[in-house]
């Protein structure tokens, strides 16, 4: 004990003698008063924003400084060391869509921001982000065109597909199906599987190894019937030679563009109904499921009793609803009888023709409405699973 | 190991007592000057050019070759688990080679394998830390060192004019991935002026300058399994913009320039009061391949002072020396902007002072004894503090080392036999660390491991035996064996030297 006490006094003496007070140099760093303006100019309609946080990350040191946007304010203040920053903003937004609240995220991101002066002004343009967003039908041109001679022209139909998310998605392996059932003719199909699946025998799938066809956030791609310049054969038509994919139609009307990848037919050769009496769905098969297994697992025989009393039997396939990521019911304005998908997929419908066999429908499409902007100013499209409100009917095709 | 050393020392001491003599033969006095631990304390004080004429009484040129083997179970990752290899050295001192002129020269070659380095692929760590290139794989490093220096001092009456210059080169490489290839050169020159203020006291002033450069590359041959390369900025923080790649696109360049100044008051005959104040300051710069602008700049300053008194009464020798060394290293790091599309590379936009290293050492040693034996008790108190700004990281350790070293020299068959035993205990009296780093990753392991090593409390025992014998008046061979072991860090060091004294 005595020795220990002696040692303690020795240590105490050493500490008194030491010059540890000389070890208190301040770290020197230049700092900037940074004003970060939150620019919501690309948001449309009625909305409220809350819980907005801005993170500034210095890319050399990886130091993150977080600041919150005050209620009712549009500017965030931060005191940052000089450096090169990446700014990222995230907040909650509640949009009014057809009277209903839709909760989403707003985001903003800007990189390579040099902060090396006493004051720095930064503007962050916000965009919408829906964590559940995926590919959606942006435009469906199903009516075809008329030739100057007044004849129907069919090969120029197309799907315009949009990446409605804030992430890069891959088109590889997406399948598309056209419903067997018509929206203008309601029947009692037996067995009734509509609440669980869409009935279709016109199904194709896009090729790819999984990450062969990336689509950037807000990006589009086109699936043409025939990916050629139809204007050469029909001046009233459009140029689809730059389409990303083409459907393999039945031999008599199929014109193959070897420069454009062909979709793989799983069932039948989809011929888009030129009056728009069907529904279209797209989705993905579960991981590891081949088209063959899909067909063997989902073969579906249904029947209905015709007006003359005969029982009509059909062989088709059921496309489970949980495989489907977007669905659009189409019809004519004054002929619609029922939705041919479960309402969980689509609660409404859109159209190009006003009445059945409407000759004015040619050259018209249905086009999804924009709701705001994604990253880089790309469109964020309205997707409430109600095609009546989500789509503008009888629109002019965007592809010329 | 400790038991073995104890037996060796005990046997040697017993033998020495029997053979001890009161005084040494004249032809052995030059050897004694270079092997006696009490003389060594004083000799080290006379290394400034203007004090060299008073360093030794006898001219001598030892040449030796040594094999060293060092193994540590616990060690600083960035310094390795020990060196293995050979050293060849000569250290010539010619007193009055010409009238009133002293010459000295030094040449050394080392070829060692630095074992198990990790998170440091750069040479000369002590000079360039913390700004090293690092990866988590590391490995052994083959290192060759060449060193030459020479000096001259001329006495004119009460004045001494002196100068010396030296050069050191270090070539290091590894033949398996990751493959560092480091070449460094260090050139220095010192000038000194001395004036005898009394018949036994000389006042000297010495100034020096150095220029150091290192070129450091890191290459990989294997296409897969490459670790990330980090450019450390202190306590395992690194520049994220410049690090992370497993491709090193060019050379990392280090440049250190410095000066030193030393003012001394010394007794000419090494008996009396010794006082010295000195400053050594080096400024360093690191440039990375991605930008021509400096990535790091640092200033290292050591302010030191020495105060000692040495005396001999009859055949009793005694003395004490207090030294203080205050080392401060302050570093800054560049912040870059990769605006490659506009400027074609990385542009430096700012820099922050982000690193501090303090190593304050207070040392007290004394000796007493006679010509053939001496006891040297010593104590060292060191305060170490290392900090990085953001994320804040810090390690602090106040460490006391207390030890005693005994030496016995005796004549044996016309030769001089010397044995020494050194016992030392290290005690940590205060410590703390804040690393602010996610546990479980390699960099956290590096920091925690090095901190545990820094704050360990080993007991060290070292023993040395040396026999100098006389073949002729000019040629005096010697053999020296040294062994050292430490508890807790489980460190073992052995060396065997064969040499000649001319």
């Amino acid at each position: 004990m005595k020795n220990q006490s002696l040692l303690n006094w020795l240590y105490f003496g050493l500490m008194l003698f030491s010059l540890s007070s000389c070890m208190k140099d301040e770290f020197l760093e230049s700092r900037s008063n940074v004003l970060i303006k939150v620019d919501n100019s690309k948001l449309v309609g009625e909305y409220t924003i809350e819980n907005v946080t801005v993170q500034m990350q210095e890319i050399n040191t990886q130091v993150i400084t977080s600041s919150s946007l005050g209620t009712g304010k549009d500017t965030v203040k931060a005191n940052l060391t000089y450096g090169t920053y990446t700014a990222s903003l995230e907040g909650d937004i509640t949009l009014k869509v057809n009277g209903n609240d839709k909760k989403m995220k707003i985001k903003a991101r800007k990189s390579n921001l040099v902060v090396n002066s006493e004051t720095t002004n930064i503007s962050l343009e916000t965009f919408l982000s829906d964590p559940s967003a995926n590919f959606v039908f942006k435009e469906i041109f199903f009516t075809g065109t008329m030739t100057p001679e007044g004849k129907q022209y069919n090969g120029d139909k197309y799907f315009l597909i949009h990446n409605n998310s804030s992430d890069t998605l891959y088109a590889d392996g997406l399948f598309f199906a056209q419903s067997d059932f018509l929206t203008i003719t309601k029947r009692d199909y037996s067995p009734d599987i509509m609440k669980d699946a869409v009935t279709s025998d016109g199904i194709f799938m896009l090729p790819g190894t999984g990450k062969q066809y990336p689509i950037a956030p807000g990006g589009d791609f086109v699936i043409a019937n025939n990916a050629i310049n139809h204007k050469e054969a029909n001046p009233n038509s459009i140029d689809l030679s730059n389409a990303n994919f083409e459907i393999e139609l039945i031999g008599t009307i199929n014109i193959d563009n070897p420069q454009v990848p062909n979709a793989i037919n799983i069932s039948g050769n989809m011929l888009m109904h030129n009056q728009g009496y069907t529904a279209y769905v797209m989705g993905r098969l579960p991981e590891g499921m081949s088209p063959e297994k899909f067909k063997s697992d989902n073969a579906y025989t249904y029947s209905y009793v015709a007006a003359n009393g005969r029982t009509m039997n059909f062989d088709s396939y059921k496309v489970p609803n949980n495989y489907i990521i977007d669905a659009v019911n189409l019809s004519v304005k004054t002929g619609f009888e029922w939705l041919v998908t479960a309402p969980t997929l689509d609660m409404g419908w859109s159209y190009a023709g006003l009445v059945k066999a409407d000759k004015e429908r040619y050259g018209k499409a249905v086009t999804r409405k924009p709701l705001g902007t994604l990253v880089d100013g790309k469109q964020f499209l309205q997707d409430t699973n109600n095609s009546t409100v989500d789509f503008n009917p009888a629109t002019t095709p965007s592809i010329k | 190991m400790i038991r073995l050393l104890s037996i060796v020392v005990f046997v040697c001491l017993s033998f020495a007592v029997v053979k001890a003599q009161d005084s040494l033969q004249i032809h052995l006095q030059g050897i004694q000057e270079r092997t006696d631990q009490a003389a060594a304390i004083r000799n080290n004080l006379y290394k400034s050019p203007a004090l060299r004429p008073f360093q030794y009484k006898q001219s001598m040129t030892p040449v030796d070759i040594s094999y060293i083997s060092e193994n540590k179970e616990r060690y600083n990752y960035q310094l390795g688990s020990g060196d293995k290899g050979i050293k060849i050295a000569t250290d010539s001192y010619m007193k009055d080679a010409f009238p009133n002129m002293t010459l000295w020269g030094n040449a050394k070659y080392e070829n060692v394998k630095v074992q198990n380095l990790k998170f440091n692929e750069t040479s000369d760590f002590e000079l360039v830390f913390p700004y090293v290139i690092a990866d988590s794989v590391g490995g052994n490093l083959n290192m060759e060192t060449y060193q030459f220096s020479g000096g001259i001092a001329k006495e004119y009456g009460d004045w001494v004019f002196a100068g010396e210059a030296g050069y050191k080169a270090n070539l290091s490489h590894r033949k398996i991935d990751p493959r560092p290839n480091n070449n460094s050169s260090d050139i220095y020159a010192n000038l000194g002026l001395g004036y005898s203020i009394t018949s036994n006291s000389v006042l000297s002033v010495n100034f020096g300058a150095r220029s150091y450069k290192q070129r450091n590359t890191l290459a990989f041959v294997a296409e897969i399994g490459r670790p990330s390369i980090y450019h450390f900025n202190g306590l395992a923080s690194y520049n994220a913009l410049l690090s992370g790649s497993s491709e090193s696109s060019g050379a990392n360049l280090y440049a250190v320039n410095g000066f030193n100044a030393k003012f001394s008051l010394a007794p000419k005959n090494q008996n009396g009061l010794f006082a010295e104040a000195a400053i050594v300051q080096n400024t360093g710069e690191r440039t990375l391949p991605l930008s021509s602008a400096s990535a790091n700049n640092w200033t290292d300053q050591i302010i030191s002072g020495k105060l000692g008194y040495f005396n001999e009464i009859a055949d009793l020798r005694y003395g004490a020396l207090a030294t203080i060394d205050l080392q401060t290293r302050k570093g800054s790091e560049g912040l870059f902007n990769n605006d490659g599309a506009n400027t074609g590379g990385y542009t430096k936009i700012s820099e922050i002072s982000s690193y501090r290293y303090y190593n304050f050492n207070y040392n007290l040693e004394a000796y007493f004894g006679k010509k053939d034996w001496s006891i040297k008790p010593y104590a060292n108190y060191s305060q170490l503090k290392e900090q990085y700004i953001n994320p804040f990281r810090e390690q602090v350790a106040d460490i006391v080392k207390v030890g005693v070293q005994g030496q016995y020299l005796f004549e044996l068959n016309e030769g001089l036999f010397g044995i020494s035993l050194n016992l030392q205990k290290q005690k940590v009296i205060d410590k703390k660390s804040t690393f602010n780093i996610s546990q479980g990753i390699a960099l956290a392991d590096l920091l925690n491991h090095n901190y545990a090593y820094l704050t360990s409390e080993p007991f060290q025992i070292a023993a040395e035996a040396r026999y100098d014998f006389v073949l002729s008046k000019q040629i005096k061979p010697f053999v020296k064996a040294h062994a050292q072991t430490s508890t807790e860090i489980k460190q073992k060091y052995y060396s065997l030297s064969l040499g000649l004294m001319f």
Side-chain angles (χ1 to χ4, degrees), chain A residues 11 14-15 17-20 22-23 25-29 59-63 82-84 112 114 116, chain B residues 239-241 326 330 335-338 349-350 353-354 356 358 360 362 381 383 385 389-390 427 429:
Chain A
Y11 299 152
L14 284 171
M15 292 177 84
F17 173 65
S18 73
L19 300 172
S20 55
C22 301
M23 293 180 167
D25 293 288
E26 293 296 321
F27 288 110
L28 301 174
E29 53 185 6
I59 62 173
N60 290 264
T61 60
Q62 293 186 301
V63 172
Y82 284 10
T84 304
N112 232 17
V114 175
N116 62 350
Chain B
N239 186 308
L241 182 64
L326 308 176
K330 301 175 185 176
L335 300 177
F336 290 83
N337 170 237
N338 180 15
I349 57 164
S350 178
S353 73
S354 55
R356 294 282 183 269
Y358 306 93
F360 290 3
Y362 316 90
Y381 175 51
Q383 293 178 294
K385 185 176 188 179
I389 181 172
N390 200 348
K427 177 86 177 164
I429 59 174

